[in-house]
Amino acid sequence: MNNVLELKDVTKNYGDFVLDHVNFNIPQGCICGFVGQNGAGKTTTIRLILDIIALTEGEIKVFGKDMRKDGKILKDDIGVVFDEMGFHDFLTGVQINKIMSKMYTNWSEEVFTGYMKKFGLPMKKKCGKFSRGMRMKLQIAVAMSHGAKLLIMDEPTSGLDPIVRNEILEIFQEFVMEEDHTILLSSHITGDIERIADMVVFIDKGRIVLSGEKDVILENHAMIKCSKKDADTIAKEDIVSVRQSAFGVDVLVHDKKVCARKYDKLTMEQCTLEEIMIHYVNRANNESKEA
Amino acid sequence: MKGLILKDIYCLRTRMMAYIMTMVAALVLGILISLSSEYGNLRFDVFMAGDASITEDDMASYKIILGGGTFLAVLISLGVGFDGIMTFHMDEKANFNDVLRSMPVKPEEIVLARYITTYGFLLLSYVSSVLVALMISPVVKMFSLGEMIYAGTVLACALAIGLGVSICALFLWNKKTFDRIFVGAFVGAYALFAIALIVSDTYYENRLDAIMGVLMDKGKILYESCLLWLLPVAILMVAVCYFVSVWIIKRKGRGVR
């Protein structure tokens, strides 16, 4: 399968924050969840992919091409949704349609008005008067009305109520029904990612801590809830991290099958992406403390 | 690029009411001053009433008040031309710069669109200033229509240079930094001027009058031959600023900030 997006040793040094040699690929036709807590480097990575900010080091390829050289052509095939709406408050749907029709080669007024209707967004109302959910839908409508093959979205569901979030996630799932459509979805809401993503990339403090197919990650990891004494019997190389809980400790292990054989007396539970993320962040924190 | 120009037009359309109000105010000011110079307190004999003998200073102050007021009418209408630069602020406020950089637009197109709308707006305000001059010229006796248009053209050239430099600065820094630098430079210039005046007054006394006199005379000569040098300089500066803006935006590898 072709990679739509390839990041190789991507580094951005801000002085007080470093995006440190980020590597991951996104194959065509999948939804990639880009997960990390606030300030982990998700937005910086997205801005680098879109060539909004300059790379310090590394290489980014979109559809096999360099964004810095072929940006104008490539961006015609990319739809972008930012966490904050980037349109002026006084613009209406009608005006946005006119502007975008002059910006994108394949802009379709029919598709745009169709989405606006579908999302229940009035074409003549100023977008400054839209609610947060409506603003997000407007951005999505714009992102999907010019025949984009890759959607890049930065926290599109944060701050939205569950019903609107659900609606938006369904739209994304519909979008990837077309086999050449791909989505990079950044979020700190792991529930959304768990629901729709095919692959997951975890980022923490500018470093990729885990990446791979979502199902594989969920299948491999397991949570052992036990006493501190039992936790001490688990080999260090099997553990991602150990956290105190109300009844003892939670131990996240990264190879469920191996651990099931090695520690057959301990009970293993299926864990969520959120738990995995918390434990990986916990491990990174512990490592930096030790360092 | 057409989309960017259209977006800027929508931006500037939101300021249309302020623009029209300024034009009306300029028109009213011009007419009021003119009427006052004919029938009111600015009539020469009324203005000079009570003075036993009219000195050169009295004449100068009369000309400054009357002339300044009339020119002010033309200049106000032209001054709104600087408003075109507000699109930078609007884009920054709306977080449009990131959206813009995610669209299929080349950096050169971003710069060109900015220059087209900003200078287009300056041209529009220049045309408006000519219209204001045309409208108030029948009642103004002190200056001819030609003189008013000349003054407007000179200021338009100066504004064009100022706009070019400002656009470069806005591409280099964000609006907040630009405002701080602009206000800082403005206050600093005034402070320097004030200090210079105080110091000159204390140490040089009469020499200050001499310096000011020379400056005024040279200023007059400079003003009268303005279009000979200011127009080509303005055109050259705008061209230079455009290329500098392109260089800045490419070097920074980002939209505006």
Side-chain angles (χ1 to χ4, degrees):
Chain A
M1 201 182 282
N2 292 334
N3 285 327
V4 169
L5 193 61
E6 293 168 54
L7 278 80
K8 199 176 167 189
D9 289 327
V10 170
T11 304
K12 177 72 188 176
N13 194 341
Y14 278 118
D16 56 343
F17 175 80
V18 182
L19 193 73
D20 197 4
H21 295 87
V22 167
N23 290 285
F24 67 88
N25 299 328
I26 305 178
Q28 191 181 55
C30 85
I31 299 180
C32 173
F34 193 34
V35 194
Q37 54 185 337
N38 292 330
K42 301 188 295 293
T43 303
T44 304
T45 309
I46 285 174
R47 288 163 67 90
L48 285 168
I49 292 169
L50 293 168
D51 195 30
I52 292 172
I53 49 172
L55 277 169
T56 306
E57 204 185 313
E59 192 180 283
I60 298 174
K61 284 195 172 175
V62 184
F63 301 116
K65 288 178 180 172
D66 189 338
M67 184 65 93
R68 284 172 292 184
K69 286 177 192 160
D70 303 299
K72 191 174 176 183
I73 303 160
L74 291 171
K75 283 172 185 175
D76 235 345
D77 286 331
I78 302 173
V80 184
V81 176
F82 292 100
D83 58 340
E84 290 291 331
M85 183 184 72
F87 299 117
H88 302 74
D89 285 351
F90 52 80
L91 289 176
T92 63
V94 175
Q95 291 170 332
I96 289 171
N97 176 46
K98 279 184 188 165
I99 294 170
M100 294 303 154
S101 66
K102 304 249 179 319
M103 303 289 273
Y104 289 101
T105 320
N106 301 319
W107 179 262
S108 167
E109 184 177 343
E110 205 182 328
V111 175
F112 179 69
T113 46
Y115 274 121
M116 291 291 276
K117 206 173 171 185
K118 187 178 173 184
F119 297 157
L121 302 174
M123 285 290 283
K124 287 179 182 172
K125 192 175 177 179
K126 288 179 181 176
C127 60
K129 290 180 180 169
F130 284 0
S131 66
R132 182 169 164 78
M134 289 165 93
R135 286 173 184 213
M136 210 43 89
K137 284 178 183 172
L138 174 68
Q139 283 201 82
I140 293 166
V142 171
M144 304 212 301
S145 299
H146 57 90
K149 292 188 176 80
L150 169 66
L151 281 190
I152 297 179
M153 288 174 286
D154 190 12
E155 308 269 6
T157 53
S158 77
L160 298 180
D161 65 70
I163 293 160
V164 178
R165 257 170 60 197
N166 190 49
E167 266 181 74
I168 288 175
L169 294 180
E170 277 173 8
I171 295 160
F172 296 161
Q173 281 174 319
E174 232 173 76
F175 178 79
V176 286
M177 293 287 201
E178 300 264 346
E179 63 177 31
D180 61 342
H181 284 182
T182 309
I183 294 179
L184 171 64
L185 172 68
S186 116
S187 182
H188 61 267
I189 307 168
T190 47
D192 292 346
I193 303 292
E194 197 160 339
R195 197 183 131 188
I196 65 162
D198 302 302
M199 64 172 288
V200 179
V201 176
F202 278 109
I203 187 166
D204 183 54
K205 294 190 181 78
R207 285 182 176 191
I208 301 295
V209 288
L210 181 69
S211 68
E213 283 181 40
K214 179 193 76 184
D215 292 340
V216 175
I217 290 173
L218 287 173
E219 211 175 289
N220 285 348
H221 289 81
M223 190 71 76
I224 301 173
K225 296 188 181 220
C226 58
S227 65
K228 179 118 186 18
K229 197 180 164 191
D230 286 338
D232 289 340
T233 63
I234 305 171
K236 265 193 173 177
E237 63 267 23
D238 294 327
I239 299 172
V240 175
S241 93
V242 182
R243 295 186 82 224
Q244 288 283 341
S245 74
F247 306 104
V249 289
D250 291 346
V251 183
L252 184 77
V253 291
H254 55 74
D255 197 333
K256 189 159 74 179
K257 282 178 190 166
V258 170
C259 291
R261 277 200 307 272
K262 279 166 86 174
Y263 318 108
D264 55 348
K265 284 178 186 166
L266 299 175
T267 318
M268 259 167 259
E269 289 177 16
Q270 182 66 45
C271 52
T272 61
L273 276 181
E274 187 170 324
E275 287 170 326
I276 296 172
M277 185 176 99
I278 289 169
H279 275 269
Y280 271 95
V281 170
N282 187 43
R283 183 173 78 170
N285 287 343
N286 291 340
E287 279 172 357
S288 61
K289 268 180 205 167
E290 282 166 20
Chain B
M1 195 185 71
K2 283 180 192 168
L4 288 179
I5 295 171
L6 187 61
K7 185 268 302 167
D8 282 349
I9 291 171
Y10 285 137
C11 284
L12 293 173
R13 223 167 67 172
T14 61
R15 303 185 65 80
M16 201 45 82
M17 189 47 77
Y19 180 69
I20 291 168
M21 294 298 282
T22 311
M23 288 301 158
V24 171
L27 207 59
V28 170
L29 177 72
I31 291 169
L32 278 178
I33 286 172
S34 304
L35 289 176
S36 179
S37 70
E38 283 292 307
Y39 312 105
N41 291 336
L42 285 180
R43 211 172 70 187
F44 188 75
D45 53 338
V46 178
F47 190 83
M48 297 297 176
D51 287 350
S53 59
I54 298 166
T55 62
E56 270 188 24
D57 284 350
D58 289 337
M59 274 307 290
S61 58
Y62 179 68
K63 279 183 178 174
I64 285 168
I65 291 169
L66 193 59
T70 313
F71 276 122
L72 195 64
V74 178
L75 304 188
I76 285 174
S77 51
L78 191 62
V80 290
F82 216 80
D83 221 27
I85 217 161
M86 283 303 287
T87 52
F88 275 92
H89 175 59
M90 289 175 170
D91 285 357
E92 206 169 299
K93 198 178 158 197
N95 295 319
F96 183 74
N97 295 320
D98 281 356
V99 175
L100 176 61
R101 294 290 283 169
S102 72
M103 289 173 177
V105 193
K106 284 182 177 174
E108 294 93 325
E109 290 175 326
I110 295 173
V111 175
L112 188 59
R114 279 274 187 240
Y115 274 77
I116 289 173
T117 46
T118 309
Y119 284 98
F121 199 66
L122 178 64
L123 188 67
L124 181 72
S125 60
Y126 174 69
V127 171
S128 307
S129 78
V130 172
L131 287 176
V132 168
L134 270 171
M135 287 161 109
I136 61 173
S137 63
V139 279
V140 171
K141 297 286 183 292
M142 194 168 172
F143 302 104
S144 67
L145 175 65
E147 281 172 322
M148 282 192 267
I149 292 176
Y150 180 85
T153 312
V154 167
L155 188 78
C157 290
L159 270 178
I161 296 171
L163 273 173
V165 174
S166 301
I167 293 173
C168 288
L170 281 162
F171 274 120
L172 193 60
W173 302 298
N174 60 19
K175 176 75 171 55
K176 212 173 174 180
T177 315
F178 172 77
D179 284 349
R180 281 179 191 156
I181 290 168
F182 190 79
V183 172
F186 203 71
V187 173
Y190 263 92
L192 277 176
F193 187 65
I195 291 166
L197 272 183
I198 294 163
V199 171
S200 328
D201 209 29
T202 311
Y203 294 102
Y204 299 107
E205 288 183 24
N206 294 334
R207 200 175 291 177
L208 177 66
D209 285 345
I211 292 167
M212 290 305 279
V214 170
L215 279 178
M216 292 298 275
D217 286 347
K218 295 289 178 202
K220 200 180 167 199
I221 296 164
L222 209 58
Y223 173 75
E224 279 167 358
S225 63
C226 235
L227 284 189
L228 282 177
W229 61 273
L230 193 58
L231 194 61
V233 166
I235 293 167
L236 186 72
M237 275 296 286
V238 172
V240 169
C241 288
Y242 169 77
F243 289 112
V244 170
S245 303
V246 171
W247 178 76
I248 290 168
I249 201 170
K250 275 187 170 176
R251 194 166 175 266
K252 291 186 93 179
R254 55 201 297 190
V256 167
R257 279 180 286 275

